[in-house]
């Protein structure tokens, strides 16, 4: 019997993909914190989840389609830049923690598959 990695790993590979893409967007925001007129962007996890079909036959998308949305600042700046350093740093840190959690789940899946293959 063949092992289907798509079924065995579930949504974890796509979750890691999303976290990497979001880290790039947030890093871009942090890099442009002093750029006049720069609009901070963000991508939302629930938008990605809505792209996936859940049911008895789960087929995760091979590539995520991510649409950038603009973040709404808590306080406007005079130069039109909407990046708020502390907010972006917090988002980046939380995204990193979520990435680490997803990676831990993926590693547990691989350990489980290795145990099955070894016959334990």
């Amino acid at each position: 019997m063949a092992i289907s990695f798509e079924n065995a790993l579930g949504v974890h590979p796509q979750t890691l993909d999303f976290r990497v893409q979001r880290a790039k967007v947030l890093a871009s925001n942090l890099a442009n914190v002093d750029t006049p007129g720069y609009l901070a962007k963000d991508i939302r996890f629930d938008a990605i989840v809505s792209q996936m079909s859940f049911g008895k036959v789960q087929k995760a998308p091979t590539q995520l389609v991510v649409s950038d949305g603009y973040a709404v600042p808590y306080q406007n700046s005079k130069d039109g830049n909407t990046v708020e350093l502390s907010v972006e740093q917090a988002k980046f840190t939380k995204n990193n923690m979520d990435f680490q959690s997803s990676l831990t789940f993926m590693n547990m899946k691989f350990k489980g598959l290795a145990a099955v293959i070894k016959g334990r």
Side-chain angles (χ1 to χ4, degrees), residues 44-111:
R44 295 176 15 167
F45 186 70
D46 58 345
I48 302 305
V49 171
S50 68
Q51 294 177 22
M52 298 180 186
S53 60
F54 294 98
K56 291 202 176 218
V57 179
Q58 179 180 338
K59 180 86 172 164
T62 55
Q63 183 153 20
L64 297 176
V65 178
V66 178
S67 60
D68 292 333
Y70 293 102
V72 178
Y74 291 106
Q75 190 170 6
N76 292 328
S77 65
K78 289 182 180 180
D79 65 359
N81 185 312
T82 62
V83 177
E84 295 173 301
L85 184 61
S86 59
V87 172
E88 296 302 317
Q89 287 173 329
K91 287 181 186 178
F92 192 85
T93 301
K94 182 175 182 333
N95 189 63
N96 183 40
M97 291 183 337
D98 292 341
F99 178 87
Q100 293 299 324
S101 297
S102 294
L103 192 58
T104 300
F105 282 120
M106 186 100 126
N107 284 333
M108 290 182 343
K109 291 278 191 174
F110 278 123
K111 286 179 184 178

